[in-house]
Amino acid sequence: MNEELQNAREDYQRGSLSENELNGNPVQQFELWFNQYKSSGVADYNAMVLSTINNSGKPASRVVLLKGIDQGGFEFYTNYSSSKGQDIKNNPAVALNFFWPSLERQVRVEGRAFEMSARESDAYFKSRPLGSRLGAWVSPQSAIIPDRKYLENRLEEIQRKYGEDIPRPDHWGGYRVIPEMMEFWQGRSNRLHDRIMYTRTKDGWKIDRLAP
């Protein structure tokens, strides 16, 4: 197994990234790359890894779905009482990672997560399929539960209580991650990749090239 893994490699040759191609705003540069990836027809094109730090200083990562890009930030929705919600409450510093292998690209984001307004969360919640709205009530996300039957019983209870007119739970809503650093990685041959880093300053964004 180790030999197989050690010999697993790709020579990236599908693109390049130069400073004169860049948008001065990293979020707008992200949208350009994101739309190119979306157009490629892959499933779950909006998947991203969210990393948080708990109150003991331990990191945790999980895949969530990007649900909006607005007000200069990246939006996702979750249960505020979940492990990631509690991590963000204790420490709003988070990291996002987007990996797009078909384009040989990666984007890293470091910033701070802020709760979105109740109005914004209400609007998105109403747009969700019925099953997803029910699930927000049924699941005590990240909590230990006795068995699968627990969820099935909760689902029946919530269906009887609300029918199809399901309000947004107070414990569920959106976060917007405002970036302080963004790095755009384009795979290149011989591992001499292009890495461009944007860093937020008081005057805007500073752009630097990083060694691969």
Side-chain angles (χ1 to χ4, degrees):
M1 174 64 76
N2 286 344
E3 183 178 356
E4 178 184 350
L5 290 172
Q6 290 166 6
N7 291 327
R9 57 177 56 88
E10 296 287 340
D11 189 32
Y12 303 119
Q13 299 183 2
R14 296 182 183 176
S16 62
L17 182 62
S18 64
E19 286 81 350
N20 59 15
E21 299 173 337
L22 296 171
N23 191 297
N25 185 301
V27 178
Q28 293 176 12
Q29 177 66 35
F30 175 88
E31 290 181 299
L32 173 64
W33 272 22
F34 181 77
N35 287 331
Q36 291 172 354
Y37 187 59
K38 175 183 176 182
S39 298
S40 69
V42 297
D44 293 327
Y45 62 88
N46 58 332
M48 62 184 184
V49 175
L50 166 69
S51 298
T52 58
I53 303 170
N54 69 16
N55 57 8
S56 298
K58 295 181 179 179
S61 295
R62 74 288 284 166
V63 176
V64 299
L65 298 179
L66 177 68
K67 287 298 182 178
I69 304 171
D70 194 21
Q71 299 182 39
F74 301 85
E75 301 170 352
F76 67 95
Y77 296 83
T78 190
N79 186 317
Y80 291 141
S81 300
S82 66
S83 59
K84 58 183 170 293
Q86 291 302 304
D87 287 354
I88 292 170
K89 181 179 180 181
N90 291 321
N91 186 347
V94 303
L96 306 175
N97 184 277
F98 299 84
F99 180 51
W100 301 325
S102 63
L103 299 182
E104 299 175 349
R105 288 174 175 173
Q106 177 181 217
V107 181
R108 294 196 310 114
V109 180
E110 295 177 1
R112 298 177 72 82
F114 300 88
E115 283 191 21
M116 295 168 62
S117 69
R119 178 184 56 80
E120 291 172 306
S121 292
D122 285 342
Y124 175 70
F125 189 81
K126 290 177 182 177
S127 76
R128 303 182 89 205
L130 175 61
S132 297
R133 284 179 279 145
L134 287 166
W137 280 97
V138 169
S139 174
Q141 195 175 97
S142 303
I144 296 173
I145 58 175
D147 49 35
R148 180 77 188 183
K149 189 65 176 176
Y150 171 87
L151 297 177
E152 295 169 354
N153 291 340
R154 282 282 295 161
L155 178 59
E156 293 178 2
E157 292 173 11
I158 297 301
Q159 287 176 318
R160 285 196 300 268
K161 182 175 181 178
Y162 291 115
E164 296 189 6
D165 186 18
I166 304 169
R168 177 179 66 88
D170 291 338
H171 62 256
W172 189 98
Y175 289 102
R176 180 177 291 114
V177 177
I178 303 300
E180 297 172 353
M181 187 285 297
M182 293 182 62
E183 180 193 327
F184 293 81
W185 180 96
Q186 175 70 62
R188 297 292 300 273
S189 186
N190 300 319
R191 294 297 188 266
L192 297 178
H193 312 304
D194 290 323
R195 294 177 61 190
I196 303 295
M197 178 178 68
Y198 292 75
T199 307
R200 188 187 294 275
T201 72
K202 64 179 181 179
D203 300 317
W205 290 97
K206 181 175 180 288
I207 300 176
D208 294 292
R209 176 175 287 270
L210 303 179

